[in-house]
């Protein structure tokens, strides 16, 4: 799991900057989680590419 910052929120996918890795990834939202720009989020990285799932907002 990594901590990131929301850059571009949308309805189902969000662009997140992973702070400690210096990368940007596309993330899906778990049902019931809402985010807005500059929110700090907890991201579970998925294997095989630059994709992840936002599992919580800090």
């Amino acid at each position: 799991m990594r901590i990131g910052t929301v850059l571009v929120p949308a309805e189902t996918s969000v662009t997140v900057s992973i702070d400690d890795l210096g990368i940007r990834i596309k993330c899906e939202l778990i049902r019931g989680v809402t985010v807005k720009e500059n929110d700090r989020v907890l991201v579970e990285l998925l294997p095989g590419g630059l994709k992840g799932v936002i599992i919580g907002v800090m």
Side-chain angles (χ1 to χ4, degrees):
M1 285 189 267
R2 300 288 182 170
I3 295 173
T5 304
V6 174
L7 299 175
V8 182
E11 286 186 30
T12 57
S13 67
V14 177
T15 302
V16 175
S17 172
I18 302 298
D19 302 330
D20 62 331
L21 298 178
I23 60 173
R24 293 179 179 179
I25 64 171
K26 285 277 193 179
C27 293
E28 294 182 26
L29 292 169
I30 291 180
R31 180 178 275 164
V33 175
T34 58
V35 297
K36 59 184 184 286
E37 194 172 332
N38 294 322
D39 276 353
R40 303 276 292 162
V41 293
L42 188 59
V43 176
E44 180 70 39
L45 297 178
L46 299 175
L50 296 177
K51 294 188 178 188
V53 177
I54 295 175
I55 57 175
V57 181
M58 300 174 83

